[in-house]
């Protein structure tokens, strides 16, 4: 019997290492890049063929580095036979026009999933700023500011709402979809910073952490040897580092 990680590794290897690729997905460090996680996880979970192109963050030179493959000089960026799509939301919609399962089939679930994803895409700035994405670290940044607690309350409401309305275990029904990919970075943030959630939302976060694609991303993030000083300092802030689960560094 294969573990979920073994299944994900097989799926990921089969998708990433084919001789002919439909897509190239440009991402940055898996330990730091929450925006990269979204389309990567969606492609991996849905088994859509892609070639991963990882370009690591460099202090003070990301724009010049990323401009070579992305018109906005940011990650993620999708290349499809010479055509370029940038921004995680645009990438997801581009994929949705070409592959089933990106959004839920049910019209109400689909509209809710799009609304929640758009809210995540444009909002929750307090949480993003105070708890930057850092997969391997465990931090204590309490007491949390009121604005961060407000963001977490809204996220708990959204997660509980989606699961209650559409039956779970995923946010918009019985199958993984783009809305789960959009909130995946928050799931990792909750793990890294010990963030408080309502009980139903905490159960969803635990469920997501067990998913094969999430575990594969996490294991690969822990294996990255590169440390980028600005991201490290941003995650720590004025808090305390409790543990670092990365393998080397």
């Amino acid at each position: 019997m294969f573990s979920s990680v073994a299944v994900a590794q097989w799926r990921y290897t089969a998708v990433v290492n084919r001789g002919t690729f439909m897509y190239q997905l440009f991402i940055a460090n898996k330990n730091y890049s929450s925006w990269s996680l979204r389309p990567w996880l969606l492609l991996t979970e849905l088994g859509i063929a892609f070639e991963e192109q990882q370009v690591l963050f460099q202090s003070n030179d990301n724009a010049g580095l990323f401009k070579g493959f992305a018109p906005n000089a940011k990650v993620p960026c999708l290349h499809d036979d010479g055509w370029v799509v940038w921004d995680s939301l645009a990438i997801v919609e581009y994929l949705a026009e070409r592959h089933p399962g990106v959004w839920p089939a049910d019209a109400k679930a689909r509209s809710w999933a799009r609304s929640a994803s758009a809210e995540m895409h444009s909002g929750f700035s307090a949480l993003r700023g105070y708890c930057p994405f850092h997969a391997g670290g465990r931090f204590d940044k309490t007491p949390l500011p009121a604005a961060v607690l407000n963001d977490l309350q809204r996220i708990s409401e959204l997660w509980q709402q989606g699961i209650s309305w559409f039956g779970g275990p995923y946010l918009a029904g019985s199958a993984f979809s783009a809305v789960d990919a959009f909130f995946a970075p928050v799931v990792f943030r909750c793990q890294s910073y010990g963030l408080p959630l309502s009980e139903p939302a905490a159960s969803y976060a635990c469920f997501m952490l067990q998913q094969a694609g999430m575990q594969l991303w996490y294991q690969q993030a822990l294996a990255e040897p590169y440390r980028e000083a600005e991201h490290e300092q941003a995650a720590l802030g004025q808090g305390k580092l409790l543990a670092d689960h990365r393998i080397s560094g």
Side-chain angles (χ1 to χ4, degrees):
M1 191 72 179
F2 292 108
S3 69
S4 60
V5 175
V7 172
Q9 183 66 61
W10 173 84
R11 180 191 303 162
Y12 174 82
T13 301
V15 167
V16 173
N17 292 330
R18 291 180 182 175
T20 301
F21 301 101
M22 183 174 182
Y23 302 116
Q24 287 183 312
L25 181 67
F26 287 80
I27 66 170
N29 310 57
K30 289 179 178 173
N31 189 65
Y32 306 130
S33 186
S34 61
W35 298 93
S36 297
L37 169 59
R38 290 166 173 162
W40 184 97
L41 184 64
L42 184 69
L43 288 162
T44 300
E45 285 291 325
L46 297 185
I48 300 172
F50 74 104
E51 177 184 20
E52 177 186 306
Q53 298 285 353
Q54 188 179 44
V55 182
L56 301 181
F57 288 122
Q58 300 291 332
S59 298
N60 303 318
D61 191 34
N62 291 328
L65 191 65
F66 296 161
K67 190 66 174 178
F69 58 82
N72 63 342
K74 294 180 180 180
V75 288
C77 187
L78 187 77
H79 288 208
D80 179 15
D81 194 24
W83 188 249
V84 179
V85 186
W86 64 98
D87 189 281
S88 59
L89 185 56
I91 292 170
V92 166
E93 292 293 4
Y94 185 81
L95 295 172
E97 293 172 350
R98 289 156 178 78
H99 303 278
V102 172
W103 296 111
D106 176 77
K108 290 183 178 179
R110 185 167 63 253
S111 66
W112 181 90
R114 281 191 161 117
S115 296
S117 297
E119 184 175 352
M120 181 69 248
H121 185 263
S122 63
F124 304 107
S125 58
L127 175 61
R128 297 180 198 272
Y130 195 74
C131 300
F133 190 82
H134 194 294
R138 299 294 181 271
F139 304 93
D140 179 1
K141 299 188 80 168
T142 54
L144 297 173
V148 174
L149 292 173
N150 288 339
D151 280 354
L152 290 170
Q153 181 178 355
R154 175 56 181 156
I155 287 168
S156 291
E157 291 173 355
L158 277 169
W159 291 1
Q160 186 171 347
Q161 183 184 69
I163 292 169
S164 174
W165 285 3
F166 307 114
Y170 296 98
L171 289 179
S174 61
F176 177 94
S177 68
V179 67
D180 300 289
F182 266 93
F183 282 99
V186 176
V187 171
F188 277 128
R189 281 184 170 95
C190 291
Q191 175 175 258
S192 297
Y193 296 94
L195 301 177
L197 296 169
S198 67
E199 191 284 324
S203 295
Y204 168 74
C206 290
F207 169 75
M208 278 295 292
L209 286 170
Q210 297 168 6
Q211 301 310 297
M214 292 283 282
Q215 291 188 36
L216 181 58
W217 176 280
Y218 180 60
Q219 290 181 359
Q220 292 176 346
L222 296 187
E224 289 178 343
Y226 180 71
R227 306 289 185 267
E228 199 279 311
E230 292 183 5
H231 283 86
E232 293 292 325
Q233 184 54 50
L236 179 60
Q238 300 302 312
K240 298 178 182 178
L241 177 64
L242 303 177
D244 190 336
H245 294 283
R246 288 174 290 182
I247 295 170
S248 62

